[in-house]
Amino acid sequence: MIEYVLIGDGSTDRALLPIIRWALRRAYPSGTFAAPIFVSRNARPIADVIEKARDYRPNVLFVHRDAEREPRDVRRQEVPCARDVIPVIPVRMTEAWLLIDERAIRAAAGNPNGTTALDLPPCRRLETLPDPKANLKALLAEASGLGARRRARFDRADAIQRLAEVIEDYSPLFELAAFKSFYADLVAGLEAVGVSPQELVRV
């Protein structure tokens, strides 16, 4: 059984857990996986948090950094290089990887049968969006079908977490360079900790 930890910059990075779970199952179809452990870094040095997370004895550790305004390679250098450490670096931020499924957005917004038009950006353009978080929050509010007053009380953070769980297929993200790099690092990490190369699915 593969046990794993996700180290996030903050608590909202829990939204990456369903994406990682999907990628693990895609990469290692015959594998079994323990429930993940999430650790919030909260501005502590990455290397220190990795060493503390090793107390859980995971097979692999996922370390999240949003690229934000930096090139992905710059953020990649911030993650210590180790055989069991897998960087997770969306461009520009986690929310870009959730802008792929209109049906799921409606469901996460609590209005699965809504008919309001939602203007999702093409997947190939997600890495060019200046503020994916703002895009996603606006789409969730629009999908909710709520009036202006009730939208003000709409919990967008909770809806984003629900959205990550509701999306069933993350394969559209293979159009994105950052996701392809993450997946390649994941496959390499699993192989490095002893998974047979014949059991791994590469893209």
Side-chain angles (χ1 to χ4, degrees), residues 48-147:
D48 292 353
V49 181
I50 287 174
E51 288 310 306
K52 185 65 177 176
R54 292 192 193 282
D55 291 345
Y56 295 109
R57 300 187 179 279
N59 299 95
V60 290
L61 300 101
F62 294 89
V63 178
H64 165 252
R65 294 289 286 126
D66 278 332
E68 296 177 336
R69 288 176 169 78
E70 296 288 346
R72 182 186 182 279
D73 289 346
V74 171
R75 292 298 189 207
R76 177 65 183 82
Q77 292 170 15
E78 296 174 2
V79 178
C81 184
R83 61 196 296 270
D84 60 345
V85 173
I86 300 169
V88 188
I89 307 174
V91 176
R92 301 181 180 260
M93 55 190 70
T94 298
E95 287 77 9
W97 286 1
L98 300 176
L99 285 164
I100 60 171
D101 189 328
E102 181 174 322
R103 179 200 61 82
I105 288 173
R106 293 187 192 280
N111 188 23
N113 298 317
T115 58
T116 303
L118 301 180
D119 186 19
L120 268 69
C123 191
R124 65 182 180 278
R125 287 188 48 234
L126 294 181
E127 293 184 339
T128 69
L129 297 175
D131 191 348
K133 183 179 292 186
N135 287 84
L136 183 55
K137 287 183 175 181
L139 283 166
L140 285 165
E142 191 70 23
S144 73
L146 299 173

Side-chain angles (χ1 to χ4, degrees), residues 36-51:
I37 295 169
F38 178 80
V39 176
S40 183
R41 187 167 66 88
N42 295 325
R44 290 175 292 170
I46 293 174
D48 292 353
V49 181
I50 287 174
E51 288 310 306

